[in-house]
Amino acid sequence: MAIEQTLSIIKPDAVAKGVIGEIYSRFEKNGLNIIATRMLHMTRKQAEAFYAVHRERPFFNKLVEFMISGPVMVQVLEGDEAITKYRELMGATNPKFAAPGTIRYDYASDTGNNDVHENAVHGSDSQETARVEIDFFFKREEICPRTR
Ligand code: CMP
């Protein structure tokens, strides 16, 4: 039993589709407690900083354009093995390879052949990344561990 926190983003494609509630329901049904959340429309500077690790990748500019094309929901999820559990729920980064029943299979907007994968959700890939990504969007006092 290892309680972890992870950073989740519901991306502009999924927000525009009106599936925030359906995705939140998957978190709640799978033991991932939402302990902080907010909607924002990222600035170009914010999106470039958040995805700085991908700066040299060919899809970087398209990724930034995609992430600032509309508002996103950002949330901190907490639960047992939350990082791995959430990555399983999301499915493969390329929606073409996402398994049936995963969030990306059900809600991603592209077929996997686009310049950038409009893949509905983002999730941290390790404990170290999770800490950095949570701090990117939330102050410590905005996080509300469940007391009941
Ligand atoms: P995410 O999990 O938010 O992390 C980086 C994002 O870049 C990823 O989801 C996709 O939206 C996009 N991405 C990653 N790899 C590729 C790729 N090979 N081609 C296109 N887009 C990608």
Side-chain angles (χ1 to χ4, degrees):
M1 185 83 173
I3 300 295
E4 294 174 341
Q5 295 179 356
T6 189
L7 189 277
S8 157
I9 305 177
I10 301 181
K11 299 188 181 186
D13 59 327
V15 171
K17 270 188 189 166
V19 293
I20 296 168
E22 290 176 41
I23 294 174
Y24 271 23
S25 172
R26 292 192 186 204
F27 298 159
E28 293 186 320
K29 284 187 183 134
N30 286 279
L32 294 173
N33 286 327
I34 300 160
I35 60 167
T37 183
R38 98 168 180 274
M39 178 176 269
L40 77 154
H41 195 139
M42 275 198 260
T43 64
R44 183 176 299 277
K45 221 171 150 182
Q46 267 178 316
E48 285 174 352
F50 184 77
Y51 280 118
V53 60
H54 295 302
R55 193 172 288 279
E56 304 305 325
R57 308 287 291 275
F59 56 82
F60 181 71
N61 288 336
K62 290 274 171 55
L63 174 60
V64 170
E65 290 300 332
F66 165 46
M67 292 304 291
I68 66 175
S69 67
V72 298
M73 292 296 296
V74 289
Q75 43 280 322
V76 180
L77 306 179
E78 184 178 73
D80 188 32
E81 311 280 356
I83 294 167
T84 307
K85 188 182 278 180
Y86 178 41
R87 291 183 72 79
E88 286 169 3
L89 283 184
M90 286 193 297
T93 304
N94 183 340
K96 195 166 76 174
F97 301 120
T102 61
I103 294 172
R104 284 170 170 157
Y105 181 91
D106 289 334
Y107 303 120
S109 305
D110 79 9
T111 57
N113 298 317
N114 300 7
D115 289 336
V116 65
H117 302 321
E118 297 208 353
N119 55 2
V121 282
H122 166 82
S124 310
D125 62 8
S126 68
Q127 292 197 21
E128 296 69 39
T129 315
R131 198 65 263 153
V132 172
E133 292 186 349
I134 290 168
D135 290 345
F136 187 91
F137 288 110
F138 295 99
K139 300 192 189 96
R140 294 293 161 111
E141 64 268 25
E142 290 172 329
I143 297 172
C144 306
R146 298 296 180 93
T147 51
R148 58 177 290 181

